[in-house]
Amino acid sequence: MSSISSIITSSKSPEEIIKRCCGYFDELLPSLNEKEARFRELLDSILVDSLTVGVSRKVISYIANTLKGLSKEQCLRFSGILSDALKLRVMSFEDQVTEVNLHMAALYEGQKEYTKAACHLSNIPLENSQRNYSKEYTTEMYLRIAHLFLQGSDPHQAELFLNRASLQMGPTTKPQLTVQYNLCYAKALDFRKKFLEAAKRYLELSLEPLLSSAEQSELLRHSILCAIIAPAGLQRSRILSSLCKDERSQHFLFSGMLNNTQLGHLITHEQVSLFEKELEEHQLERLPSEMSILEAAVMEHNLLAISHIYISIKLNNLAHILRVTLLQAEKVVGKMISEQRISGHVDQIQGVVFFQSATQPWDDHMNVVCNKVNNVIDVMLQCEPAFIKERLQRYKC
């Protein structure tokens, strides 16, 4: 077999170079695995500046199309080599780069290697392309990349492409793309453990008429899961209330857990064990405190429930109810008080937590208003005593 360099130098026309280079590649095909070095040499020779771009493009296109007929393993291996060789000359070989990366992304997605699929799609030049892609196509591609990164559990990369997609979107964007964007954004919030915001987004999407009833039901399920494991507080209570009012929520096996959470009842260890089976992998991760996300959420919820039952409670009794150590109980109480999610204070000397009723500020405010009304009536009695007495008698005050 002649060397590729001698084939190129001895050819008399561009057409002959194309024909002989393609023939050289065909000769490599039967034993391509053993001749990887020659394949790389072929690519290096084709991509040199001495050859015209037109000639190189035709040979690269032939190689890319031929590789598609190989086994998946071979195709991914040698298409990857081809993709790497083209990286420095993307603008000159835009069509070939796009074709190779689209095919590789489809193969990786079929093998459920979502991160690799997303990386190959991200290699395609979209915004600085000579093809002048429409904003709609660019948005669709960015959303597809974001979705693949989310499936590969990489929310940070997904968010980058969601931000790029949002810059392409406007009033004329198709409703389907807007829904797809909102779905990806809700999932990204979920992965980033912003469960409260994710629950709101999921709940809104569960009412989206463009989605099927099965998709709406699945989104409602995700909303409930995120709401229950979100940090306890007023905003969470509002979302839980909305979810409980939704009749569809009662069809889930964990509806009892939802109702107990919304009503402020203590959640038992048995309920937690059953609910834990419904959570996804990223929702089961451990926090720096060595507690799972669910365990921390249930502990905060139970503490909030206890604050409605007790006026005061000893820290050791609180730790026993919460099934945590004394130090953990003291830390979570201090954290929730400082974040104004519960009202009260801790007496560390006596080891007692004192809770303040959530309605106390409202009661104080009402007292102030009533006192001001009484003051106004007293002033009016001095100015118009007959009129005020007549009114008070009429309303039996």
Side-chain angles (χ1 to χ4, degrees), residues 44-90:
D44 291 338
S45 300
I46 294 168
L47 296 172
V48 293
D49 292 332
S50 57
L51 279 181
T52 61
V53 174
V55 169
S56 300
R57 283 175 181 166
K58 288 183 178 180
V59 177
I60 293 295
S61 292
Y62 178 81
I63 293 173
N65 286 324
T66 306
L67 288 174
K68 291 178 183 179
L70 303 180
S71 65
K72 286 183 180 179
E73 292 73 17
Q74 270 193 315
C75 181
L76 287 171
R77 177 183 171 185
F78 290 98
S79 292
I81 295 171
L82 176 57
S83 178
D84 290 339
L86 294 173
K87 277 183 179 178
L88 297 177
R89 302 192 64 182
V90 172

Side-chain angles (χ1 to χ4, degrees), residues 90-91 93-95 97-98 101 120-131 133 137 142:
V90 172
M91 300 314 295
F93 297 90
E94 186 179 329
D95 290 344
V97 167
T98 301
N101 282 290
H120 279 287
L121 285 182
S122 65
N123 288 336
I124 299 172
L126 292 171
E127 293 185 25
N128 298 321
S129 172
Q130 297 173 2
R131 290 185 171 188
Y133 294 113
Y137 179 80
Y142 282 147

Side-chain angles (χ1 to χ4, degrees), residues 202-253:
Y202 281 136
L203 181 57
E204 290 170 4
L205 285 164
S206 73
L207 302 170
E208 176 56 58
L210 291 175
L211 299 174
S212 67
S213 57
E215 290 172 322
Q216 290 175 344
S217 179
E218 184 63 16
L219 287 166
L220 182 64
R221 175 181 170 275
H222 283 298
S223 180
I224 295 171
L225 295 178
C226 287
I228 289 176
I229 62 176
L234 184 59
Q235 288 185 319
R236 174 175 176 260
S237 298
R238 287 172 180 165
I239 294 176
L240 288 170
S241 178
S242 298
L243 288 167
C244 283
K245 290 175 184 176
D246 194 321
E247 294 179 358
R248 299 173 298 166
S249 299
Q250 304 309 315
H251 298 134
F252 295 105
L253 294 175

Side-chain angles (χ1 to χ4, degrees), residues 116-376:
K116 289 183 179 180
C119 288
H120 279 287
L121 285 182
S122 65
N123 288 336
I124 299 172
L126 292 171
E127 293 185 25
N128 298 321
S129 172
Q130 297 173 2
R131 290 185 171 188
N132 293 322
Y133 294 113
S134 67
K135 284 191 173 184
E136 185 179 305
Y137 179 80
T138 305
T139 303
E140 191 174 346
M141 285 296 291
Y142 282 147
L143 290 176
R144 184 182 170 191
I145 294 168
H147 178 67
L148 287 169
F149 272 125
L150 287 172
Q151 286 184 294
S153 302
D154 191 343
H156 300 291
Q157 284 295 323
E159 194 168 5
L160 289 175
F161 286 93
L162 282 173
N163 291 337
R164 292 186 187 180
S166 66
L167 295 175
Q168 301 292 322
M169 298 172 73
T172 58
T173 303
K174 284 185 177 180
Q176 290 86 348
L177 288 179
T178 303
V179 171
Q180 191 178 345
Y181 171 83
N182 290 332
L183 283 168
C184 287
Y185 189 66
K187 196 69 177 175
L189 290 171
D190 188 351
F191 268 100
R192 290 173 56 205
K193 302 178 182 61
K194 294 187 176 182
F195 298 119
L196 200 60
E197 296 174 54
K200 290 179 185 176
R201 294 273 182 167
Y202 281 136
L203 181 57
E204 290 170 4
L205 285 164
S206 73
L207 302 170
E208 176 56 58
L210 291 175
L211 299 174
S212 67
S213 57
E215 290 172 322
Q216 290 175 344
S217 179
E218 184 63 16
L219 287 166
L220 182 64
R221 175 181 170 275
H222 283 298
S223 180
I224 295 171
L225 295 178
C226 287
I228 289 176
I229 62 176
L234 184 59
Q235 288 185 319
R236 174 175 176 260
S237 298
R238 287 172 180 165
I239 294 176
L240 288 170
S241 178
S242 298
L243 288 167
C244 283
K245 290 175 184 176
D246 194 321
E247 294 179 358
R248 299 173 298 166
S249 299
Q250 304 309 315
H251 298 134
F252 295 105
L253 294 175
F254 47 83
S255 60
M257 176 89 163
L258 172 64
N259 294 328
N260 282 352
T261 308
Q262 195 273 329
L263 292 170
H265 295 171
L266 288 172
I267 297 174
T268 65
H269 181 69
E270 291 72 21
Q271 288 176 319
V272 172
S273 299
L274 288 172
F275 181 76
E276 194 172 23
K277 297 174 183 177
E278 300 289 335
L279 298 177
E280 296 181 12
E281 187 177 347
H282 70 277
Q283 296 169 333
L284 294 168
E285 291 179 7
R286 293 271 163 185
L287 299 172
S289 62
E290 295 302 317
M291 299 180 74
S292 70
I293 293 171
L294 177 59
E295 289 169 346
V298 169
M299 181 177 66
E300 289 187 358
H301 167 82
N302 284 343
L303 177 55
L304 190 60
I306 289 167
S307 72
H308 295 148
I309 300 170
Y310 292 87
I311 296 174
S312 63
I313 185 172
K314 287 190 174 181
L315 277 170
N316 56 353
N317 291 337
L318 179 64
H320 176 72
I321 296 172
L322 296 178
R323 290 171 166 261
V324 295
T325 65
L326 187 65
L327 182 60
Q328 285 177 317
E330 187 175 351
K331 280 185 176 180
V332 74
V333 169
K335 179 173 177 284
M336 291 184 71
I337 290 174
S338 66
E339 293 174 354
Q340 297 182 345
R341 289 192 279 154
I342 58 173
S343 300
H345 65 278
V346 181
D347 188 327
Q348 290 181 308
I349 296 174
Q350 296 183 24
V352 178
V353 182
F354 294 91
F355 296 110
Q356 182 182 357
S357 171
T359 60
Q360 188 64 42
W362 173 256
D363 293 341
D364 293 341
H365 180 67
M366 289 301 297
N367 285 333
V368 171
V369 172
C370 290
N371 287 331
K372 287 184 177 181
V373 171
N374 287 335
N375 291 336
V376 170

